[in-house]
Amino acid sequence: MLLDLSEEHKEHLAFLPRVNSSVVAEFGRIAVEFLRRGANPKIYEGAARKLNVSSDTVQHGVEGLIYLLTESSKLMISELDFQDSVFVLGFSEELNKLLLQLYLDNRKEIRTILSELAPDLPSYHSLEWRLDVQLASRSLRQQIKPLVTIKLHLNQNGDRNTKVLQTDPATLLHLVQQLEQALEEMKTNHCRRVVRSIK
């Protein structure tokens, strides 16, 4: 799978061939450090002074590298696919090898950092349900009032919590239809593309 880089990202990475390989390696170190601890404008300003360029240019170059490394790590693309993705940028062979080495050295750490940044959402454990039907009351002798009670057990951070929901069968049927419709929509090409870009 090849990376699809936008024109903006290509512009940000276009700064890399203008500097020597040691600077690109330092940019790679700054990019990984950025993922670990966040942005540090002083680093950009110091590098900009040494290279005699604006700090925005340095920042864009680092951000372009961050995007390249995080997207490659997210998708776990192979060495060959990474080289093909970078080859499109028209860099020298030496720079391509340096970027590949940066990717290979840091992809596991980047994946670990990205997994820590992901939100921890509750996951399904089990479900209990009960159907109650009220057939009559003191005021109404013949009435049918069904009620579905659902007890949903969820896991989150090793803890188990329980949610109790109550609804009538018509609302439950509508909810089931909406969920089935959403599942069908997930099979469309547009949704697949969106999901792929999120991963």
Side-chain angles (χ1 to χ4, degrees), residues 163-183:
K163 304 286 182 193
V164 179
L165 312 165
Q166 250 184 356
T167 184
D168 60 300
T171 305
L172 185 62
L173 184 61
H174 177 70
L175 181 65
V176 168
Q177 289 171 346
Q178 291 298 310
L179 289 172
E180 286 175 346
Q181 183 181 350
L183 285 173

Side-chain angles (χ1 to χ4, degrees), residues 94-133:
E94 180 189 353
L95 183 56
N96 288 349
K97 285 181 182 177
L98 181 62
L99 291 173
L100 175 64
Q101 197 58 47
L102 267 172
Y103 168 62
L104 294 176
D105 292 345
N106 296 303
R107 69 176 165 190
K108 288 182 182 175
E109 184 179 1
I110 291 171
R111 283 188 65 81
T112 304
I113 292 168
L114 292 176
S115 68
E116 290 169 1
L117 295 175
D120 188 25
L121 301 173
S123 61
Y124 170 83
H125 181 264
S126 64
L127 177 102
E128 300 174 40
W129 63 275
R130 183 179 74 220
L131 178 65
D132 295 323
V133 180

Side-chain angles (χ1 to χ4, degrees), residues 38-173:
N40 188 349
K42 291 179 183 176
I43 292 176
Y44 298 142
E45 291 167 8
R49 265 186 263 120
K50 287 179 186 173
L51 297 172
N52 203 19
V53 293
S54 71
S55 62
D56 284 344
T57 306
V58 173
Q59 183 175 351
H60 290 319
V62 172
E63 286 172 356
L65 260 179
I66 290 169
Y67 180 79
L68 181 70
L69 294 173
T70 54
E71 288 302 306
S72 302
S73 299
K74 246 193 270 186
L75 300 172
M76 283 299 285
I77 63 174
S78 66
E79 291 180 36
L80 187 62
D81 287 341
F82 184 85
Q83 286 175 326
D84 290 343
S85 300
V86 175
F87 181 75
V88 174
L89 299 171
F91 294 161
S92 67
E93 193 173 325
E94 180 189 353
L95 183 56
N96 288 349
K97 285 181 182 177
L98 181 62
L99 291 173
L100 175 64
Q101 197 58 47
L102 267 172
Y103 168 62
L104 294 176
D105 292 345
N106 296 303
R107 69 176 165 190
K108 288 182 182 175
E109 184 179 1
I110 291 171
R111 283 188 65 81
T112 304
I113 292 168
L114 292 176
S115 68
E116 290 169 1
L117 295 175
D120 188 25
L121 301 173
S123 61
Y124 170 83
H125 181 264
S126 64
L127 177 102
E128 300 174 40
W129 63 275
R130 183 179 74 220
L131 178 65
D132 295 323
V133 180
Q134 185 177 351
L135 298 174
S137 65
R138 288 183 188 176
S139 57
L140 290 171
R141 290 189 178 227
Q142 289 186 340
Q143 91 181 45
I144 298 176
K145 189 177 174 186
L147 198 63
V148 178
T149 305
I150 301 169
K151 194 173 190 180
L152 186 61
H153 300 278
L154 302 171
N155 290 332
Q156 185 173 18
N157 296 333
D159 298 331
R160 186 172 298 157
N161 28 343
T162 304
K163 304 286 182 193
V164 179
L165 312 165
Q166 250 184 356
T167 184
D168 60 300
T171 305
L172 185 62
L173 184 61

Side-chain angles (χ1 to χ4, degrees), residues 188-198:
T188 64
N189 287 336
H190 175 71
C191 284
R192 285 183 184 161
R193 258 185 264 126
V194 170
V195 168
R196 227 177 309 149
S197 69
I198 290 172

